[in-house]
Amino acid sequence: KRARKETHTHTNMFSLSASSFVGTSVSASFKGRQQQQQQPQQRGALQIRAARVAGVEIPNNKRAETALTYIFGIGNTTAKAVMAATGLENKRVRELSEEELTILREEVDKYKNEGQLRSLISLNIKRLKEIQCYRGKRHIANLPVRGQRSKTNARTRKGKSKTVAGKKK
């Protein structure tokens, strides 16, 4: 085993002089730090971190096909269909030009996604509840809708288990 070099050295935040104990003056190194803090820091140029498509900021560092799946309602299959329809190369989002992003946005807008899709789903569930069909009743009772067993398991829908006295067999 090699001995690890000690690179971390402790420096005092305040240099104390004999006069600082008395309270007559502040040390010179402390004054230097105060002046450094008062000067405004220069920032770099403004960078665009993510492109907005369908009201969602898709990540810049991922390829376009993968980045599209961050939009609610667009999965792998739809993302591939969008890329095929636009004829764009599947490169990273940060490498796409503004014209290519505009083409991508127009194609994505042809599909139901985000707010439109969420409202459609909630309206469908509301309709099922109103007509009192089996699926609607399961939604009302907060139980699994698609035929799963609910005697045991189904904890995601039912919530934390409540102990019932005398229910062993």
PDB file of all heavy atoms in Angstrom, residues 151-152 163-169:
ATOM      1  N   LYS A 151     -57.233 -10.145  -2.641  1.00  0.00           N
ATOM      2  CA  LYS A 151     -57.303 -10.745  -1.308  1.00  0.00           C
ATOM      3  C   LYS A 151     -55.974 -10.519  -0.591  1.00  0.00           C
ATOM      4  O   LYS A 151     -55.942 -10.111   0.564  1.00  0.00           O
ATOM      5  CB  LYS A 151     -57.592 -12.251  -1.420  1.00  0.00           C
ATOM      6  CG  LYS A 151     -57.719 -12.928  -0.067  1.00  0.00           C
ATOM      7  CD  LYS A 151     -58.102 -14.383  -0.201  1.00  0.00           C
ATOM      8  CE  LYS A 151     -58.270 -15.015   1.159  1.00  0.00           C
ATOM      9  NZ  LYS A 151     -58.690 -16.434   1.035  1.00  0.00           N
ATOM     10  N   THR A 152     -54.884 -10.778  -1.302  1.00  0.00           N
ATOM     11  CA  THR A 152     -53.558 -10.407  -0.813  1.00  0.00           C
ATOM     12  C   THR A 152     -52.959  -9.488  -1.865  1.00  0.00           C
ATOM     13  O   THR A 152     -53.474  -9.367  -2.968  1.00  0.00           O
ATOM     14  CB  THR A 152     -52.657 -11.651  -0.650  1.00  0.00           C
ATOM     15  OG1 THR A 152     -52.517 -12.267  -1.920  1.00  0.00           O
ATOM     16  CG2 THR A 152     -53.237 -12.627   0.347  1.00  0.00           C
ATOM     17  N   THR A 163     -54.932  -3.844  10.041  1.00  0.00           N
ATOM     18  CA  THR A 163     -55.174  -5.129  10.696  1.00  0.00           C
ATOM     19  C   THR A 163     -56.641  -5.272  11.059  1.00  0.00           C
ATOM     20  O   THR A 163     -57.244  -4.373  11.652  1.00  0.00           O
ATOM     21  CB  THR A 163     -54.306  -5.243  11.974  1.00  0.00           C
ATOM     22  OG1 THR A 163     -52.957  -4.946  11.618  1.00  0.00           O
ATOM     23  CG2 THR A 163     -54.395  -6.636  12.566  1.00  0.00           C
ATOM     24  N   VAL A 164     -57.216  -6.423  10.692  1.00  0.00           N
ATOM     25  CA  VAL A 164     -58.611  -6.704  11.005  1.00  0.00           C
ATOM     26  C   VAL A 164     -58.633  -7.843  12.022  1.00  0.00           C
ATOM     27  O   VAL A 164     -58.020  -8.880  11.795  1.00  0.00           O
ATOM     28  CB  VAL A 164     -59.398  -7.100   9.728  1.00  0.00           C
ATOM     29  CG1 VAL A 164     -60.848  -7.426  10.069  1.00  0.00           C
ATOM     30  CG2 VAL A 164     -59.324  -5.993   8.705  1.00  0.00           C
ATOM     31  N   ALA A 165     -59.345  -7.643  13.119  1.00  0.00           N
ATOM     32  CA  ALA A 165     -59.387  -8.654  14.193  1.00  0.00           C
ATOM     33  C   ALA A 165     -60.140  -9.895  13.720  1.00  0.00           C
ATOM     34  O   ALA A 165     -61.206  -9.786  13.106  1.00  0.00           O
ATOM     35  CB  ALA A 165     -60.052  -8.079  15.432  1.00  0.00           C
ATOM     36  N   GLY A 166     -59.608 -11.068  14.023  1.00  0.00           N
ATOM     37  CA  GLY A 166     -60.277 -12.313  13.715  1.00  0.00           C
ATOM     38  C   GLY A 166     -60.218 -12.740  12.266  1.00  0.00           C
ATOM     39  O   GLY A 166     -60.949 -13.625  11.861  1.00  0.00           O
ATOM     40  N   LYS A 167     -59.404 -12.132  11.453  1.00  0.00           N
ATOM     41  CA  LYS A 167     -59.316 -12.515  10.048  1.00  0.00           C
ATOM     42  C   LYS A 167     -58.029 -13.281   9.827  1.00  0.00           C
ATOM     43  O   LYS A 167     -57.012 -12.735   9.432  1.00  0.00           O
ATOM     44  CB  LYS A 167     -59.350 -11.282   9.144  1.00  0.00           C
ATOM     45  CG  LYS A 167     -59.460 -11.657   7.674  1.00  0.00           C
ATOM     46  CD  LYS A 167     -59.446 -10.464   6.793  1.00  0.00           C
ATOM     47  CE  LYS A 167     -59.547 -10.914   5.357  1.00  0.00           C
ATOM     48  NZ  LYS A 167     -59.234  -9.897   4.416  1.00  0.00           N
ATOM     49  N   LYS A 168     -58.070 -14.568  10.150  1.00  0.00           N
ATOM     50  CA  LYS A 168     -56.903 -15.394   9.955  1.00  0.00           C
ATOM     51  C   LYS A 168     -57.128 -16.360   8.805  1.00  0.00           C
ATOM     52  O   LYS A 168     -56.258 -16.521   7.965  1.00  0.00           O
ATOM     53  CB  LYS A 168     -56.580 -16.154  11.239  1.00  0.00           C
ATOM     54  CG  LYS A 168     -55.209 -16.789  11.242  1.00  0.00           C
ATOM     55  CD  LYS A 168     -54.517 -16.536  12.531  1.00  0.00           C
ATOM     56  CE  LYS A 168     -53.061 -16.938  12.408  1.00  0.00           C
ATOM     57  NZ  LYS A 168     -52.313 -16.582  13.581  1.00  0.00           N
ATOM     58  N   LYS A 169     -58.291 -16.993   8.766  1.00  0.00           N
ATOM     59  CA  LYS A 169     -58.592 -17.943   7.683  1.00  0.00           C
ATOM     60  C   LYS A 169     -59.687 -17.435   6.805  1.00  0.00           C
ATOM     61  O   LYS A 169     -60.568 -16.763   7.127  1.00  0.00           O
ATOM     62  CB  LYS A 169     -59.009 -19.293   8.281  1.00  0.00           C
ATOM     63  CG  LYS A 169     -57.802 -20.031   8.814  1.00  0.00           C
ATOM     64  CD  LYS A 169     -58.221 -21.437   9.183  1.00  0.00           C
ATOM     65  CE  LYS A 169     -57.052 -22.199   9.737  1.00  0.00           C
ATOM     66  NZ  LYS A 169     -57.422 -23.521  10.152  1.00  0.00           N
TER      67      LYS A 169
END
